[in-house]
Amino acid sequence: KQEVTQIPAALSVPEGENLVLNCSFTDSAIYNLQWFRQDPGKGLTSLLLIQSSQREQTSGRLNASLDKSSGRSTLYIAASQPGDSATYLCAVIRNYGGSQGNLIFGKGTKLSVKP
Amino acid sequence: EAGVAQSPRYKIIEKRQSVAFWCNPISGHATLYWYQQILGQGPKLLIQFQNNGVVDDSQLPKDRFSAERLKGVDSTLKIQPAKLEDSAVYLCASSLSERGTQYFGPGTRLTVL
């Protein structure tokens, strides 16, 4: 059974700091991994998607890496801003030959960036 | 491009009542998902549709939950009868293809009293 864990559960940093959010998964047979952002009372916004054959993806100040063999992914946020405050969720799709797109989520890391 | 639309945004009901949620995916997206997110948890898939066919409903409590996507576009999720533990945010998502990037709606927050 695939399980996704995110550490830490909450993180508070001063504005401008670079930070890393961690995600681990128990079954390395994944199709892809996605990072999402969730703002209070709102749905999820997809930030980055990494295919199982890729090692990293970048978008602006965000960089996500994937080490499938060790079951780990990190989301790096450079020069954090108060607007980055949100809950960040990691999710994987298992790769077992079917067409199911079931995202299996971690519980998220709640990030607070202080001005 | 319009995003995924959901209604209502909030719903309060008493246990044993019934409730229905509606979702309109992004135009052209063949795959539609319903997720349940309990407070403090990540979302959990309830059902996945490909056009108007069910791909995965293994985690849908079929004794009380039902979902349909009759014309392969919008979808409804129904709970009957509701239990206290059904209190959660119900998220709808769509993607262009199976296993593609999923785009989420704002969700419906359900409170069962």
Side-chain angles (χ1 to χ4, degrees):
Chain A
K1 177 185 174 184
Q2 179 72 273
E3 293 184 357
V4 179
T5 303
Q6 292 187 245
I7 295 173
L11 181 64
S12 182
V13 301
E15 181 177 3
E17 192 162 296
N18 303 326
L19 59 99
V20 174
L21 307 181
N22 296 293
C23 171
S24 62
F25 45 95
T26 54
D27 186 347
S28 62
I30 64 170
Y31 185 81
N32 63 39
L33 181 145
Q34 297 182 47
W35 283 93
F36 292 87
R37 168 186 173 138
Q38 186 169 33
D39 294 280
K42 296 186 179 180
L44 281 67
T45 301
S46 179
L47 297 173
L48 290 164
L49 182 152
I50 310 178
Q51 299 291 352
S52 62
S53 58
Q54 297 176 317
R55 296 299 300 267
E56 66 177 330
Q57 282 285 347
T58 298
S59 176
R61 294 182 294 109
L62 306 179
N63 176 276
S65 67
L66 173 64
D67 184 342
K68 203 173 64 165
S69 61
S70 68
R72 295 178 187 275
S73 176
T74 61
L75 179 67
Y76 175 82
I77 303 177
S80 59
Q81 303 170 359
D84 295 330
S85 298
T87 296
Y88 291 80
L89 293 154
C90 167
V92 300
I93 292 179
R94 291 184 295 164
N95 186 15
Y96 52 93
S99 58
Q100 289 90 334
N102 179 11
L103 282 168
I104 300 169
F105 284 86
K107 292 183 179 181
T109 294
K110 186 174 182 179
L111 174 66
S112 177
V113 181
K114 305 291 186 184
Chain B
E1 179 184 82
V4 176
Q6 289 188 248
S7 67
R9 292 294 313 278
Y10 305 92
K11 191 74 176 178
I12 300 174
I13 62 173
E14 296 189 349
K15 60 183 179 184
R16 291 187 288 272
Q17 287 187 323
S18 64
V19 64
F21 312 128
W22 175 82
C23 171
N24 192 21
I26 293 173
S27 177
H29 281 197
T31 313
L32 185 147
Y33 312 80
W34 283 101
Y35 288 86
Q36 179 193 58
Q37 185 175 24
I38 293 172
L39 189 64
Q41 305 286 322
K44 182 186 79 171
L45 181 74
L46 293 175
I47 190 167
Q48 175 188 347
F49 290 96
Q50 180 67 16
N51 295 308
N52 61 352
V54 175
V55 175
D56 184 358
D57 64 356
S58 58
Q59 299 185 92
L60 186 73
K62 299 181 185 64
D63 58 334
R64 297 184 301 106
F65 287 65
S66 64
E68 60 183 13
R69 193 184 184 200
L70 291 175
K71 297 182 179 179
V73 181
D74 56 350
S75 174
T76 56
L77 175 70
K78 297 179 182 178
I79 307 175
Q80 182 179 15
K83 293 185 175 182
L84 296 176
E85 59 260 37
D86 298 332
S87 294
V89 176
Y90 291 84
L91 295 163
C92 178
S94 69
S95 61
L96 198 57
S97 62
E98 297 162 346
R99 299 179 167 181
T101 299
Q102 295 184 26
Y103 297 87
F104 284 78
T108 296
R109 182 176 297 276
L110 174 66
T111 302
V112 182
L113 303 175

